Amino acid sequence: MPLWTVYHPVDAYSTQERREFANKIVGFYASRGLPRFYVTTVFHEIGRDCFYVGGEPADNTVRITIDHIARQAGDAARREQTRKEIGTIIEQFTGAKGLRWEYHIDHTPNDLWMIDGLVPPAAHSPSEKVWAEQNRAIPYSAD
Amino acid sequence: MPLWTVYHPVDAYSTQERREFANKIVGFYASRGLPRFYVTTVFHEIGRDCFYVGGEPADNTVRITIDHIARQAGDAARREQTRKEIGTIIEQFTGAKGLRWEYHIDHTPNDLWMIDGLVPPAAHSPSEKVWAEQNRAIPYSAD
Amino acid sequence: MPLWTVYHPVDAYSTQERREFANKIVGFYASRGLPRFYVTTVFHEIGRDCFYVGGEPADNTVRITIDHIARQAGDAARREQTRKEIGTIIEQFTGAKGLRWEYHIDHTPNDLWMIDGLVPPAAHSPSEKVWAEQNRAIPYSAD
């Protein structure tokens, strides 16, 4: 968690751009205390014969799905803040270069999630801080 | 929203068939007032070495996932109606040509969704009608 | 349902290993009475230029998403049991060969799901038993 799945047209991004995009995404979550390795980004290059927006072949649209597990946006104000900040990151790698975009976030159950055989520590717990500092899953006792 | 992800065997569809399939899907939502460009359909051609149903390599099954955001099916009768109509569309592009199929719909939060930097207008609002008529995202004031 | 989507590095698995993995997954659900053909597993081989963990190119991580529909984990004890058993299966095909892994499960609405034109029978119903025995969707009357 979070998992970003990015559907994009063929040749929309160089490898370097994908890496920069992935890094900006990680920065957003790391600034909230999440371990960097929680963030996975998968890019799918989709040919226009397999990608349709409004029923028309699409070669100028980036469609992103985001699964949130470890942190679920809280009250309305926080959700708006999350929505805007994520929109700002995406805009840099889409609208700014002439691509249209859409994203949505899904929330999935916190207790049906594992990394490397471990249940990730509670949000903001001391163990989560250790995971963030070490940037890997480490056996821990409940805080 | 909605996002349809269609996993299908290699060579199950021509480009023309994918486009017709995508258009039928759009028609379903447009008949309910949704802007056509809300509907994204991504086709993934999956080789039988990567596609398993019941643990066996699959080359005759189409598996579809659907994310709904802007409209969430209401009471039981409406949900049944939605389920049936979507099943009828899928059947035309699967069962009718000898392919087995399965789909499921997920609902995701309405307020964690953006298109081209904008929060889409409320369902059935005047601004949504404008978006539908213009078939694109346009800045608007709250209705 | 369930649908497993497995993102893995290039050449992480042979076709034989993918099939064994898919079979182990099916075994887990079949032991709970689910028809084997309910279980779909899609493998996506993702190049390191398209797969980022913590913002770094990933070639040693398997990221799995699981959609559950027909059975939703019940109380906390059952959820823990589900989480552990699934973790044990994944570990055999990842950690045991030096790959890092992460999975999460999403729950989707039971009544927005169809197979081959039919609404699957209720969990643990006589008709579901028939579907499991025959390993295919068969028209039935409500139990």
Side-chain angles (χ1 to χ4, degrees):
Chain A
M1 125 85 206
L3 174 64
W4 283 51
T5 308
V6 181
Y7 298 109
H8 66 79
V10 176
D11 295 331
Y13 299 118
S14 67
T15 297
Q16 181 58 24
E17 285 174 307
R18 278 192 289 259
R19 188 167 185 171
E20 285 170 17
F21 195 173
N23 257 298
K24 287 279 184 179
I25 295 166
V26 171
F28 169 78
Y29 296 100
S31 74
R32 281 153 177 74
L34 264 75
R36 295 178 65 84
F37 74 99
Y38 278 15
V39 187
T40 298
T41 309
V42 176
F43 293 90
H44 288 281
E45 198 170 64
I46 308 287
R48 51 178 273 139
D49 58 322
C50 287
F51 197 173
Y52 297 85
V53 176
E56 301 298 317
D59 55 11
N60 70 337
T61 295
V62 176
R63 185 66 174 87
I64 298 173
T65 70
I66 305 172
D67 288 322
H68 276 187
I69 314 168
R71 299 282 193 281
Q72 305 214 343
D75 58 24
R78 282 181 63 102
R79 290 165 78 100
E80 186 183 346
Q81 181 70 14
T82 293
R83 185 181 62 215
K84 280 186 183 171
E85 289 191 37
I86 287 178
T88 300
I89 291 169
I90 293 172
E91 174 68 19
Q92 296 170 52
F93 292 89
T94 54
K97 52 189 282 181
L99 294 164
R100 296 192 52 256
W101 57 274
E102 178 177 350
Y103 83 84
H104 74 271
I105 300 175
D106 194 14
H107 283 166
T108 75
N110 198 282
D111 63 340
L112 296 171
W113 173 43
M114 286 188 98
I115 301 179
D116 290 342
L118 300 170
V119 176
H124 310 295
S125 64
S127 296
E128 191 189 60
K129 286 192 179 60
V130 174
W131 282 36
E133 284 161 13
Q134 301 281 325
N135 198 28
R136 61 192 176 92
I138 301 166
Y140 66 100
S141 15
D143 295 299
Chain B
M1 125 84 208
L3 174 63
W4 283 51
T5 308
V6 181
Y7 298 109
H8 66 79
V10 176
D11 294 330
Y13 299 118
S14 67
T15 298
Q16 181 57 26
E17 285 174 306
R18 278 191 289 259
R19 188 167 184 170
E20 285 170 17
F21 196 172
N23 257 298
K24 287 278 185 181
I25 295 165
V26 171
F28 169 78
Y29 296 101
S31 73
R32 281 154 178 74
L34 264 74
R36 295 178 65 86
F37 74 98
Y38 277 16
V39 187
T40 298
T41 309
V42 176
F43 293 90
H44 289 281
E45 197 170 63
I46 309 287
R48 49 178 274 139
D49 58 323
C50 287
F51 197 174
Y52 297 85
V53 176
E56 301 298 318
D59 55 12
N60 70 336
T61 295
V62 176
R63 184 67 173 87
I64 298 174
T65 70
I66 305 171
D67 289 321
H68 276 188
I69 315 168
R71 297 285 191 282
Q72 306 213 343
D75 59 24
R78 282 180 63 101
R79 291 166 78 99
E80 185 182 345
Q81 182 68 14
T82 294
R83 186 180 62 215
K84 279 186 182 170
E85 289 191 36
I86 287 178
T88 300
I89 292 169
I90 294 174
E91 173 69 18
Q92 296 170 52
F93 292 90
T94 54
K97 52 189 281 181
L99 295 165
R100 295 191 54 256
W101 57 274
E102 178 177 350
Y103 83 84
H104 74 271
I105 300 175
D106 193 14
H107 283 166
T108 75
N110 200 282
D111 64 339
L112 296 171
W113 173 43
M114 286 187 99
I115 301 179
D116 291 342
L118 300 170
V119 176
H124 310 296
S125 64
S127 296
E128 191 188 60
K129 285 192 180 59
V130 175
W131 283 36
E133 283 161 14
Q134 301 282 325
N135 198 30
R136 61 191 176 93
I138 300 166
Y140 66 100
S141 16
D143 294 300
Chain C
M1 125 85 208
L3 174 64
W4 283 52
T5 308
V6 180
Y7 298 109
H8 66 80
V10 176
D11 295 331
Y13 298 118
S14 66
T15 297
Q16 181 58 25
E17 284 173 308
R18 278 192 289 258
R19 189 168 183 169
E20 286 170 16
F21 196 172
N23 257 296
K24 288 277 185 182
I25 294 165
V26 171
F28 169 78
Y29 296 101
S31 73
R32 281 153 177 75
L34 263 75
R36 296 178 64 85
F37 74 99
Y38 278 15
V39 188
T40 298
T41 309
V42 176
F43 293 90
H44 288 281
E45 197 171 64
I46 308 287
R48 49 177 273 138
D49 58 324
C50 286
F51 198 173
Y52 297 85
V53 176
E56 301 298 318
D59 55 12
N60 70 336
T61 295
V62 176
R63 184 67 174 85
I64 298 173
T65 69
I66 305 171
D67 287 321
H68 275 187
I69 314 168
R71 300 282 193 281
Q72 305 213 345
D75 59 24
R78 282 180 62 101
R79 290 165 79 99
E80 185 182 347
Q81 181 69 14
T82 294
R83 186 180 63 215
K84 280 186 182 170
E85 288 191 37
I86 287 178
T88 301
I89 291 169
I90 294 173
E91 174 69 18
Q92 296 171 50
F93 292 89
T94 53
K97 52 189 281 181
L99 294 165
R100 296 191 53 255
W101 57 274
E102 178 176 351
Y103 84 83
H104 75 270
I105 299 174
D106 193 14
H107 284 166
T108 75
N110 199 280
D111 64 339
L112 296 172
W113 173 43
M114 285 187 101
I115 301 180
D116 290 342
L118 300 170
V119 176
H124 310 297
S125 65
S127 296
E128 191 189 60
K129 286 192 179 60
V130 174
W131 283 35
E133 284 160 13
Q134 300 282 326
N135 198 29
R136 61 191 177 92
I138 301 166
Y140 66 101
S141 16
D143 296 301

